[in-house]
Amino acid sequence: MTDMTAAELPDDLFADIQGVFRKTPVLLIGSGFSCGYGLPGMGALAEHLATAVHDALTTDGAKNAWAQSVEAIKENLEAGLNGIPLGMAEWGEIVSAIRGETAKLILDKAIAAEERILGEKVAGGHAPSRLLNRLFNGSPQNAESIHVITTNYDTLLELFCDLAELPLDTGFTGFRRRKPRPRPLFQTQYSRVLVAEKRQQQVDHRLCKTVRLYKPHGSISWLTTDDGPVEALNDVSIAGRAIVVPGPAKYQDTLVNTLFDAMRAEMNEVLTKAEALLCIGFGFNDDHLQGVIKRRLTAGMPIIIVTRDATPNIKQLLSDHSHLIALFKSGDGAVCHWNGQTLKSPSRSGSLMIS
């Protein structure tokens, strides 16, 4: 292992990173991104649910089932929830309580995070807005959109798109109570302009590029109504939220709800066609997403992973696919895995080491 300064990093590393951005990568955002703004991760969510769900339950059977699983839930949220029998009579009550308490927590934390973000004056704009702008402006002129996928329930990405003044498409249409579009959820958008044609004005339609935001697990801005889900921004009412909760009902929800089914289908198509992938704060613990991405990695799709810690699933991906570029926190610095090498920075101001 030899010391290296930042200026001595291999040129090929920078070339590979630039190559990913030239391909206009699909952006995949996980819970680690939102944790940086005070939103709860799976561990904090588990602690909250362990205490809050019991008081939201009304039947003795549901309370007993919850009490028997609560310690396992604190240890590992999804594994603990998987221990509750899916076919038990009280399962629907438990799922409803989990969904309600999850939505309350995320909504409160998201409101607080957005207030802080809006109150901050950041030279050059917030980093997520700068990244979205870079991807948007760097995409081909004839591109219909750039694609952003998030497994998070919060609305931070929607806010950062606004701060970047980028046109956002969530698959819904309307104004105050927005409804999902009939399939396809995401459609090419055009602007109506007047152009000079043979000494007279004629109407023309030109492509409007957008940021397409895919939320396969739902959103705190999606409300459940008798007429189906609607999107209502800044709604702080007690209305039920259309979110997929962890545990055995997770995939059942996505299969029976047409909105989640359509969102997942659109997302799968995007990943299947992706030329590159940029993952931020995503631990690759979602079985469905991980399966689709693995197939693309096997086909050689380049990918950059930026997250705080290397989860076991990420470590396995690094072992299986040497072309991955991954960056993790390491003490006060960072570590980068690239091309079979490990580049280490012991501190923000220290030298870099290569092994």
Side-chain angles (χ1 to χ4, degrees):
M1 183 179 296
T2 56
D3 291 346
M4 296 185 67
T5 65
E8 293 171 338
L9 284 171
D11 289 340
D12 288 347
L13 169 60
F14 294 109
D16 286 350
I17 292 174
Q18 289 170 349
V20 170
F21 276 86
R22 288 194 185 100
K23 294 178 181 293
T24 310
V26 172
L27 183 59
L28 175 56
I29 300 292
S31 60
F33 168 84
S34 295
C35 286
Y37 295 94
L39 273 292
M42 293 293 277
L45 177 58
E47 286 290 337
H48 173 78
L49 293 178
T51 56
V53 167
H54 181 272
D55 293 338
L57 299 173
T58 58
T59 66
D60 290 338
K63 289 181 178 180
N64 290 335
W66 184 257
Q68 292 173 15
S69 303
V70 71
E71 291 304 318
I73 288 167
K74 289 180 181 179
E75 184 71 23
N76 184 299
L77 176 59
E78 190 146 3
L81 292 174
N82 284 336
I84 303 175
L86 184 60
M88 68 178 298
E90 295 84 4
W91 176 246
E93 181 184 355
I94 294 174
V95 169
S96 178
I98 294 171
R99 181 179 288 113
E101 293 303 324
T102 298
K104 285 179 187 177
L105 178 64
I106 300 298
L107 185 61
D108 288 344
K109 296 295 186 181
I111 290 172
E114 292 184 1
E115 286 179 352
R116 288 196 300 272
I117 292 168
L118 290 171
E120 294 173 350
K121 302 301 180 184
V122 181
H126 291 81
S129 294
R130 297 200 307 271
L131 173 61
L132 289 164
N133 249 323
R134 177 66 60 87
L135 294 174
F136 189 87
N137 294 326
S139 62
Q141 289 186 346
N142 61 347
E144 296 180 3
S145 59
I146 64 168
H147 305 285
V148 181
I149 299 170
T150 182
T151 54
N152 301 338
Y153 305 131
D154 61 68
T155 50
L156 295 187
L157 285 169
E158 290 91 325
L159 175 61
F160 285 124
C161 278
D162 274 353
L163 293 176
E165 299 183 356
L166 296 175
L168 176 65
D169 187 356
T170 61
F172 290 71
T173 183
F175 183 70
R176 190 64 184 90
R177 290 174 67 82
R178 298 159 51 81
K179 293 185 176 181
R181 291 192 191 92
R183 291 195 182 188
L185 281 174
F186 297 93
Q187 300 175 8
T188 306
Q189 298 186 27
Y190 296 89
S191 62
R192 188 172 182 268
V193 297
L194 292 174
V195 296
E197 183 69 27
K198 294 182 179 179
R199 298 183 180 179
Q200 61 181 350
Q201 297 282 339
Q202 290 193 2
V203 173
D204 191 14
H205 292 85
R206 294 181 179 174
L207 183 69
C208 284
K209 191 190 304 183
T210 61
V211 176
R212 291 185 181 178
L213 182 60
Y214 306 80
K215 303 184 86 168
H217 292 173
S219 176
I220 54 170
S221 62
W222 298 1
L223 310 183
T224 55
T225 74
D226 292 339
D227 298 323
V230 299
E231 183 181 47
L233 301 181
N234 298 323
D235 189 300
V236 295
S237 69
I238 59 172
R241 309 286 157 160
I243 60 175
V244 176
V245 300
K250 181 176 182 178
Y251 297 106
Q252 182 187 47
D253 280 350
T254 61
L255 289 172
V256 300
N257 188 298
T258 55
L259 171 58
F260 288 127
D261 189 40
M263 186 66 69
R264 188 174 62 176
E266 295 264 8
M267 179 190 70
N268 286 347
E269 184 176 359
V270 166
L271 288 172
T272 300
K273 295 179 179 179
E275 294 187 16
L277 188 63
L278 172 59
C279 305
I280 299 178
F282 186 72
F284 286 83
N285 297 317
D286 184 287
D287 291 338
H288 173 74
L289 269 171
Q290 185 170 315
V292 178
I293 293 170
K294 274 186 174 181
R295 291 193 289 272
R296 296 294 292 119
L297 288 175
T298 301
M301 178 184 68
I303 178 174
I304 298 175
I305 300 172
V306 182
T307 191
R308 180 184 176 91
D309 300 307
T311 63
N313 285 332
I314 291 179
K315 291 178 181 177
Q316 187 62 52
L317 287 177
L318 285 169
S319 175
D320 295 340
H321 305 283
S322 60
H323 68 284
L324 268 67
I325 301 173
L327 297 97
F328 312 112
K329 187 177 185 296
S330 178
D332 291 334
V335 60
C336 174
H337 296 269
W338 166 76
N339 197 29
Q341 302 178 76
T342 302
L343 309 173
K344 294 183 179 180
S345 170
S347 68
R348 291 186 178 90
S349 59
S351 60
L352 286 160
M353 296 177 288
I354 184 168
S355 62

